[in-house]
Amino acid sequence: MRWLTKQVFGRASYATRNNINDVEAMSMTSDEFISEGINNAELAQAAMDLDQSQMLLERSIWCFEQTDIIELAAKARIQYSSVLFRLEMQVPYDEKNSNDVAVIEMRAAQLMESLTKEGLFFEVLNIFSSVTPFLSEYAKEELEKRFIRKIRLAGREE
């Protein structure tokens, strides 16, 4: 333990990795940033308001970026992208316009793939429910049968 502590002005102090140029970041350790980032991501997942989710995920990403664990920041960024997409879906789209529908389907498919790779299945379900009004009956049924049902069943087993 001697290498971890040092006497400064007669008091023990602990060595931690901090960015000395960022005063706010100096107040927390790497573990505290991870903990705070996870807490914010969980709150964002539970939030009913998408604007609140967006704010919490921005904070979560910032916390994860203060550490060297880029996997957590990447996961939070994917979740953030999903929330932004769902916010954009609130803008009036013409459900009959084939160009709008094609773009929405493509973006939703890309996001669902990324979210699945990150294990963010709850967000896959959120995206699916957001794009359902834009999908053809065939696309809805096939997605439900081949993909969404498996996610829901896996969620019940956990």
Side-chain angles (χ1 to χ4, degrees):
M1 280 302 268
R2 181 173 283 168
W3 58 271
L4 183 64
T5 61
K6 177 181 176 186
Q7 292 289 331
V8 177
F9 303 113
R11 297 186 342 200
S13 61
Y14 297 97
T16 61
R17 289 185 62 201
N18 284 318
N19 178 357
I20 60 172
N21 296 322
D22 188 352
V23 176
E24 185 176 353
M26 286 178 51
S27 64
M28 294 171 65
T29 66
S30 182
D31 289 341
E32 289 170 326
F33 277 117
I34 292 169
S35 176
E36 186 67 22
I38 290 170
N39 287 340
N40 282 308
E42 287 177 341
L43 289 171
Q45 180 180 340
M48 299 305 269
D49 179 41
L50 290 176
D51 291 322
Q52 184 181 10
S53 290
Q54 180 183 6
M55 184 220 29
L56 288 164
L57 285 168
E58 287 171 355
R59 178 70 179 168
S60 180
I61 292 166
W62 182 83
C63 287
F64 292 141
E65 287 174 345
Q66 304 309 304
T67 69
D68 291 332
I69 304 174
I70 58 172
E71 294 86 8
L72 292 174
K75 189 173 274 207
R77 279 190 206 96
I78 293 294
Q79 186 176 355
Y80 181 78
S81 296
S82 177
V83 169
L84 285 180
F85 178 69
R86 289 191 294 136
L87 275 168
E88 290 172 12
M89 297 294 295
Q90 294 176 346
V91 175
Y93 278 102
D94 183 1
E95 295 175 18
K96 307 286 188 242
N97 184 333
S98 60
N99 288 333
D100 282 353
V101 170
V103 169
I104 289 168
E105 282 185 16
M106 183 186 67
R107 287 189 59 209
Q110 291 169 339
L111 272 171
M112 290 169 90
E113 179 183 15
S114 297
L115 291 163
T116 301
K117 286 179 182 176
E118 291 294 336
L120 298 170
F121 301 115
F122 64 90
E123 198 62 41
V124 171
L125 296 175
N126 289 337
I127 291 285
F128 178 70
S129 65
S130 294
V131 298
T132 298
F134 299 94
L135 300 176
S136 68
E137 284 303 313
Y138 175 78
K140 274 188 258 189
E141 289 172 10
E142 289 299 309
L143 254 177
E144 179 71 40
K145 179 172 62 175
R146 299 180 187 274
F147 185 60
I148 300 300
R149 185 177 296 153
K150 292 176 184 176
I151 292 174
R152 288 184 176 139
L153 287 174
R156 288 184 190 136
E157 292 174 3
E158 292 177 353

